[in-house]
Structures are given as structure tokens and as C-alpha cells.
Amino acid sequence: MGMEHRETSTILVVEDDPTLLSTLAFNLSRQGYQVLTAASGSAAIEVVSSRGNDLDLILLDVMLPGPNGFQILRHVRRTLDVPVLMLSARGEEQDKIDGLELGADDYVAKPFALRELLARVRAAVRRRAAPALRPPSVLFRGDLRIEPDRRRAEVRGCELPLRPKEFGLLVTMAMEPGKVFERQELLDLVWGTGIIVDERTIDVHISWLRGKLQAAGMSQDCIRTVYGSGYRFVLSPEPDRDERLPVAP
């Protein structure tokens, strides 16, 4: 199931523990992926620079000799939109937040179950390979202008410095103003179905997105919280009405 995508998918595994690196490479190869490996930050940057356009996913350890995982992630996000799954032995909440803020798609704390990790890998690769629904080339929402193909959003001519998931959330909600999006629905649409991410991740990204919209001159209330359900995008500030009541499915 899904082998049509896996046969041509290339994954870069960046891990300095030789046993874990070989284990991951072996099991991913058995799943039909082409696997590239790097045991240090500098080696990872070399692979990204030479083979970046071939990559369908990067498994990236945080603690590495040379440039660490966060520094590599910054380098990747300057040029590539490839999914990145962070690995960390520390399991600290701040590590997770830092990784997501820098543009990581998922975060797994060590030790992890191999089956769970492989499931997350399959979901990320499947999402990248699947054809996406095509939004309009330009969306206008009041003072907000969004160009989905260029991954660009601006308010009154000023570009918003949005990270990949913030942009994904904005486009998804702005496509259907007024619709209430449950947190799990947003996770499925922006992160992908099958990706195991805490729903609190949505709240953190929405908070960052609101702050950037407000800094650009829009009301942060253009993304309204629907208590007990999720969020919705509105074209202009509205009264609270029934936002504090759960919305029926």
C-alpha cells in the first residue's frame, strides 16, 4: 500500500549515533525508500546543498557535532520546502517549540517506537507526493493579499514573515472565511493526515500568526477562537455572538 510513492522517495537521515543511523537507514530501505545519511551537521549541509532537490523528507537529529539540528533546519528553510522531522533525546518542550517555529513539520522525542516513526515518515512522504487542491493564484481578504503559489502574504504591500506552517494555516482558513476549523482538521490539512502532533501545536502557531498579522496592521481578531471547537477566519472584527458555545458538527 502506497509503494508507488515510496519507490522513488528519497530520505536524508541526519544522526550522529552510528547504531541508530544504521538502524534507521536499514528499516527505511526495507520500506522501499532511497536513503542518504549524514553523521554530522557539516555532512548534512553538504547533502542538502548537493541533493536538496531530490529529497522528499529529512529526519534530523537536534544534537550533532558541528552545526546542530536547529542550524541545519535554518539552512534548509532558506532554500527548500522539504518536510523535516526533528529527533531529540532531550525531549524538552522548548526544543519542540523552537523546532516548530523554525519550520519543522514534526518532532519526535527519543526513545521512540520504530513503528510510530515509520508511520510518521509514510504520512509525510504521502502528503508531499499527493497532488494538492489548487487554490486561486491570488487571494484578497480585505487588506490581506495572499499568493499561494509563491508562498507570499502581504498586508498593504508589506510582506508578512510567515513560517511554512503559519502560511499554511492562513491560506487554509482564508480560503473559506467564516468556516469553523477544528484543531484536528487543521492538523490534517496543514501537517497532513497520519502525522502525530499535539493539538496544542495549532494554538501556538495561531498565536504566532495573529501576532504577525497584528504587527502588520490587521486586527488579530481576524482569526477568531471558537471555544470548544477551533478557529475561523473573518473578514472584519465581529461581535462575540456564539463563539463561546460549542459548534455542532
Side-chain angles (χ1 to χ4, degrees):
M1 183 173 64
M3 283 299 294
E4 68 273 17
H5 298 320
R6 286 185 278 170
E7 288 174 352
T8 57
S9 297
T10 301
I11 298 175
L12 170 61
V13 182
V14 186
E15 170 61 59
D16 66 328
D17 181 327
T19 300
L20 181 56
L21 180 61
S22 61
T23 298
L24 291 174
F26 173 75
N27 283 278
L28 289 168
S29 297
R30 288 188 62 189
Q31 294 292 308
Y33 300 107
Q34 179 181 353
V35 181
L36 305 176
T37 62
S40 68
S42 56
I45 289 176
E46 288 182 13
V47 176
V48 168
S49 298
S50 62
R51 298 287 303 274
N53 291 332
D54 299 329
L55 300 177
D56 296 288
L57 178 69
I58 299 175
L59 292 182
L60 179 59
D61 189 21
V62 171
M63 302 301 293
L64 293 165
N68 64 30
F70 297 133
Q71 293 170 312
I72 295 168
L73 181 57
R74 290 191 189 95
H75 176 81
V76 169
R77 284 293 170 254
R78 282 196 289 267
T79 56
L80 301 176
D81 193 30
V82 62
V84 176
L85 195 161
M86 303 290 289
L87 307 174
S88 175
R90 295 194 292 181
E92 295 179 2
E93 184 70 12
Q94 189 59 48
D95 275 1
K96 180 175 181 179
I97 292 173
D98 289 345
L100 294 172
E101 185 175 19
L102 288 171
D105 295 80
D106 201 357
Y107 186 98
V108 181
K110 301 176 184 177
F112 49 79
L114 183 60
R115 289 181 61 185
E116 178 185 336
L117 180 68
L118 292 176
R120 295 192 189 203
V121 167
R122 284 193 296 271
V125 171
R126 188 185 307 121
R127 182 175 73 255
R128 182 172 175 83
L133 294 175
R134 300 290 295 174
S137 58
V138 181
L139 282 174
F140 293 96
R141 297 292 184 259
D143 292 329
L144 178 64
R145 172 190 169 100
I146 306 173
E147 298 178 70
D149 288 341
R150 297 180 61 194
R151 301 189 67 82
R152 177 186 175 93
E154 60 182 41
V155 176
R156 304 186 193 100
C158 180
E159 184 173 359
L160 297 173
L162 301 180
R163 301 187 187 281
K165 292 298 180 285
E166 294 167 0
F167 185 85
L169 288 169
L170 180 61
V171 171
T172 299
M173 291 187 290
M175 283 278 291
E176 300 183 78
K179 174 182 174 179
V180 177
F181 288 89
E182 296 184 352
R183 288 173 175 81
Q184 187 58 53
E185 182 180 9
L186 289 172
L187 283 173
D188 290 344
L189 291 170
V190 179
W191 274 257
T193 56
I195 294 293
I196 303 172
V197 182
D198 193 313
E199 288 189 2
R200 180 177 176 274
T201 298
I202 291 290
D203 301 330
V204 172
H205 280 76
I206 290 290
S207 176
W208 292 334
L209 178 57
R210 281 173 168 161
K212 291 177 180 180
L213 288 168
Q214 186 176 33
M218 292 190 69
S219 169
Q220 65 175 350
D221 286 341
C222 65
I223 299 177
R224 302 297 294 270
T225 299
V226 182
Y227 290 91
S229 292
Y231 299 96
R232 67 188 184 96
F233 182 91
V234 298
L235 295 178
S236 59
E238 300 176 351
D240 284 344
R241 301 189 311 180
D242 61 349
E243 261 81 350
R244 293 187 176 274
L245 298 177
V247 176

